Amino acid sequence: MTHALNIIWNPSEGIDLGFFVIRFYSLMFVIAFGLGWYIMKNIFERENESLEKLDSLFIWIVLSTLIGARLGHVLFYDWEYYRNHLLEIFLPFRFTPNFEFTGYQGLASHGAAISIIIAMYYFSKKILKRPLLWILDRIVIPVSSGAIFVRMGNFFNSEIVGKETESSFGIKFVRDYFTPKDAVNATHLATPKEAYHAIATDPKYTELLLQVPAKHPAQLYEAFCYIFVFAILFFLYWKTNAREKSGYLFGLFLVLLFVVRFIVEYVKESQGGFESALGLFSTGQWLSIPFILIGLYFVFTAEKPVHL
């Protein structure tokens, strides 16, 4: 049964400037990194840290996020495919069965988290000249804000959708159900853009639209929860002495963010990976457990530095 309030989701690819299309997914990443830079600028100013180091930090974060997220997807979720298509890991093309531009399909937040931690180790030693936990306790604030916009980008891309639902929260993700080729074949229209628009809006194709099941907007659930993760960390840093407890904010970030991820996984469609081999939990849940445990360790062992 389809609820009358179910939203039909078929967004455009982005903002068409005529000569160039700003894709919403890319725009969300730009906002995430831009807001993160601004937040860290305020933190550096408060801590009397050189803003020259902020530019280096920005480069390290951008590169580590993108590389780590990409490798995380490849290794955790789709290694069986990429082990035989190694060039496609870092090239936005598919070579078989036909050459095709695909973009970079697949980014994993767990991989990004690992990569950022590794990058911050080198950044703290080589450039910042401060303890690793000092930068980790502060970088988690802009990272948590960025997570909000990344999930919004997933929503615009109609990816990482939830399981089918009959509730009023369900959304019909037209682009998730019909591939571009399927949409064109079903409507006999010239382009995927025309086909998707027709399925979503033209009464002539109501039967096709009825085939699209309503699913949980898992991306929005996560984005909404991450707002509170960001707000908690932001408040604790600026309004309390939590920043003085080495490792506390970093540990709390790991606990809050990955508990949210663990819970939302229950309404997500399977993303693949090794869950079929282990059972009980999804791949995303299995990957979240170590982060939660590590976070709890830092929360309960965090101590204020001794000032002599």
Side-chain angles (χ1 to χ4, degrees):
M1 175 181 175
T2 300
H3 198 282
L5 296 179
N6 289 148
I7 296 173
I8 299 168
W9 186 244
N10 176 45
S12 64
E13 294 183 352
I15 302 172
D16 192 346
L17 301 178
F19 60 93
F20 182 72
V21 176
I22 303 176
R23 297 183 181 276
F24 289 124
Y25 187 69
S26 300
L27 181 60
M28 291 300 103
F29 265 88
V30 170
I31 293 174
F33 287 125
L35 178 60
W37 182 89
Y38 178 76
I39 292 172
M40 283 305 297
K41 176 178 178 292
N42 289 330
I43 291 175
F44 268 41
E45 288 176 342
R46 178 181 190 176
E47 305 281 358
N48 295 317
E49 192 58 68
S50 171
L51 292 182
E52 291 182 1
K53 298 177 182 178
L54 182 60
D55 293 333
S56 297
L57 176 63
F58 180 78
I59 294 172
W60 281 70
I61 287 293
V62 171
L63 292 178
S64 61
T65 298
L66 297 178
I67 294 173
R70 181 60 176 163
L71 289 177
H73 173 78
V74 169
L75 297 175
F76 299 145
Y77 290 96
D78 213 2
W79 177 241
E80 286 303 312
Y81 173 82
Y82 285 104
R83 64 187 294 185
N84 299 314
H85 304 84
L86 296 178
L87 286 178
E88 294 179 25
I89 295 177
F90 290 110
L91 294 178
F93 307 104
R94 179 176 292 129
F95 297 95
T96 57
N98 299 306
F99 181 81
E100 177 187 2
F101 176 80
T102 60
Y104 291 107
Q105 297 179 342
L107 298 173
S109 58
H110 295 91
I114 294 172
S115 182
I116 289 172
I117 293 172
I118 295 173
M120 289 304 95
Y121 172 79
Y122 287 100
F123 177 79
S124 65
K125 298 295 183 183
K126 302 295 184 180
I127 300 175
L128 192 61
K129 308 299 183 181
R130 283 182 181 262
L132 172 60
L133 287 178
W134 186 92
I135 188 61
L136 289 179
D137 280 334
R138 287 149 182 80
I139 202 67
V140 294
I141 301 173
V143 168
S144 59
S145 70
I148 300 168
F149 295 99
V150 171
R151 284 295 176 250
M152 289 297 295
N154 295 140
F155 181 66
F156 279 112
N157 263 14
S158 299
E159 60 189 8
I160 314 182
V161 301
K163 297 176 181 177
E164 294 184 19
T165 177
E166 295 183 357
S167 74
S168 58
F169 292 106
I171 290 179
K172 286 176 168 286
F173 293 95
V174 176
R175 292 175 182 254
D176 170 69
Y177 187 79
F178 291 102
T179 66
K181 183 178 179 180
D182 290 339
V184 170
N185 290 339
T187 60
H188 304 292
L189 295 173
T191 67
K193 181 178 180 180
E194 293 174 325
Y196 283 131
H197 181 73
I199 293 171
T201 62
D202 193 334
K204 178 181 176 181
Y205 299 101
T206 299
E207 290 187 6
L208 291 176
L209 184 60
L210 290 175
Q211 296 177 23
V212 182
K215 296 182 178 182
H216 285 288
Q219 321 94 321
L220 295 185
Y221 297 165
E222 275 194 70
F224 180 75
C225 292
Y226 291 159
I227 292 174
F228 292 96
V229 175
F230 166 70
I232 291 170
L233 295 172
F234 188 88
F235 174 82
L236 289 175
Y237 174 81
W238 287 99
K239 300 298 182 180
T240 74
N241 64 351
R243 67 185 180 280
E244 298 177 6
K245 300 172 67 175
S246 182
Y248 180 79
L249 291 176
F250 171 62
L252 187 61
F253 163 81
L254 293 180
V255 173
L256 293 177
L257 187 126
F258 287 105
V259 163
V260 168
R261 177 67 185 272
F262 189 92
I263 294 172
V264 175
E265 282 285 323
Y266 280 112
V267 298
K268 276 186 186 177
E269 282 189 341
S270 172
Q271 301 297 306
F274 50 78
E275 59 191 43
S276 58
L278 296 180
L280 189 60
F281 297 129
S282 70
T283 300
Q285 288 174 316
W286 281 116
L287 291 171
S288 296
I289 291 173
F291 286 97
I292 295 171
L293 295 177
I294 293 171
L296 288 172
Y297 169 80
F298 280 108
V299 167
F300 289 110
T301 60
E303 296 182 357
K304 291 184 179 180
V306 177
H307 299 288
L308 298 178

